[in-house]
Amino acid sequence: MSSAAQTIAANVAAVQERITAACQRVGRNPQEVQLVAVSKKMPLQAIRSAAQAGIQHFGENRIEEARDKIPQLTDLTLHWHMIGHLQSRKAKAAVELPFTLLHSLDSLKLAQRLDAFAQDAGRRLDVLLECNVSGEASKGGWQAHEWEQNAAQRAELWHNMKQVAALPHLNIMGLMTMAPLLQDIEATRPVFQALARLREALRQLMPDLPLPHLSMGMSDDFEIAVEEGASIVRIGRAIFGERPVV
Ligand SMILES: *Cc1c(COP(=O)(O)O)cnc(C)c1O
C-alpha cells in the first residue's frame, strides 16, 4: 500500500472509532450511523484507497465532478450521495446519476423539477430536506432558525414541506443541516438539537413520513452530531486530509 493509502486507511479507522465512542457515550448502536466519506476535490485514487479501507458511501457536492468520477469507479460497489447545493437547472443531470440520496433539497422549485425528471426516468428519488436551523446567512436550506417562536416562519415551512411530501416521485427520508464553523465545537450542539426537534415536529405534522435520517456532522463536529442523533455523518478532511485549494 502506498503511504497515501495507509494514511487514508488509518484515518478511516480513527473516524470509525470516534463514531463508536460517541455512540457509547449516549447509549446508541454504532450501526445506526452511516459514514459518508466526502470525496469532493479528491482524486479517484483517494476514493479507491478509502473503498479499500471499507468505505462504501461517498459524497460529492458538484454534479459535473460526480458525472466525471462515478463512471470511472463502476468496478467498485459504491453508493453515491449528492450533498451540495443543486441548481434547479441541473435537476435533470442529478436524476440521471445513480445517487442513493440527495441531501440538499432546499426549494420547492427544485423539488418540482426533480419530481418531473424522476417521473420521466421511471424512478423515485430519495431526498433529505436541507434546513438552516442556525440562521447563518451563508448557509443554504429552508429557513428554519426560528420555527418554534415565529408562527409565520413555521406556517411557511409546514406549507412547503407538505407540498414536497405530496410529490409522487420523491421520498423524503429525513433532514440535513450544516452547523456554523465555530471555534468552540460544543457550541454546535444546539444546532443539532434543533434539527432533531424539527424532525419530531414534522413527524407530528405528517405521521405517514417516518423520516429515518438526520444527516449532520462534518470533520470538526461529527462526534457532537452523533451524540445528538445523527444517522448520517458527512466527513471529508478527517478522512482525506485538507482539500486542494484549486
Ligand atoms: C465539504 C462538505 C462536507 C465535509 O466537510 P469536512 O469539513 O471536510 O468534513 C460535509 N457536508 C457538506 C455539505 C460539504 O459540502
Side-chain angles (χ1 to χ4, degrees), residues 38 40 61 83-84 176 178 218-219 234-238 243:
V38 176
K40 63 187 185 195
N61 72 334
I83 63 171
M176 180 275 232
M178 288 176 79
M218 318 197 334
S219 289
R234 310 176 309 268
I235 299 185
R237 291 167 300 125
R243 284 178 284 275

Side-chain angles (χ1 to χ4, degrees), residues 11-142:
N11 289 347
V12 167
V15 166
Q16 283 166 337
E17 275 171 32
R18 288 166 65 190
I19 290 171
T20 299
C23 285
Q24 282 166 351
R25 286 196 288 279
V26 294
R28 296 187 66 198
N29 178 350
Q31 310 264 15
E32 294 169 15
V33 182
Q34 177 68 60
L35 170 56
V36 173
V38 176
S39 49
K40 63 187 185 195
K41 294 196 178 162
M42 288 295 152
L44 297 175
Q45 193 50 52
I47 298 175
R48 290 187 177 279
S49 298
Q52 187 75 38
I55 299 283
Q56 286 194 315
H57 289 255
F58 289 89
E60 289 285 338
N61 72 334
R62 290 179 54 245
I63 288 294
E64 296 77 7
E65 191 174 337
R67 197 162 47 195
D68 173 51
K69 285 172 167 174
I70 293 173
Q72 301 189 63
L73 293 162
T74 50
D75 55 310
L76 303 173
T77 305
L78 303 181
H79 305 282
W80 293 96
H81 296 243
M82 174 61 190
I83 63 171
H85 173 68
L86 183 60
Q87 291 166 289
S88 54
R89 64 187 173 81
K90 295 185 183 160
K92 184 165 190 284
V95 168
E96 287 167 354
L97 286 165
F99 288 121
T100 296
L101 185 62
L102 170 76
H103 292 231
S104 45
L105 184 65
D106 59 2
S107 77
L108 196 53
K109 182 179 171 198
L110 175 62
Q112 287 164 340
R113 288 182 63 92
L114 288 168
D115 179 67
F117 289 121
Q119 173 165 27
D120 293 346
R123 67 172 291 203
R124 291 172 65 100
L125 185 66
D126 287 353
V127 299
L128 303 178
L129 302 167
E130 180 175 354
C131 296
N132 182 341
V133 286
S134 70
E136 202 189 6
S138 65
K139 292 283 184 286
W142 306 88

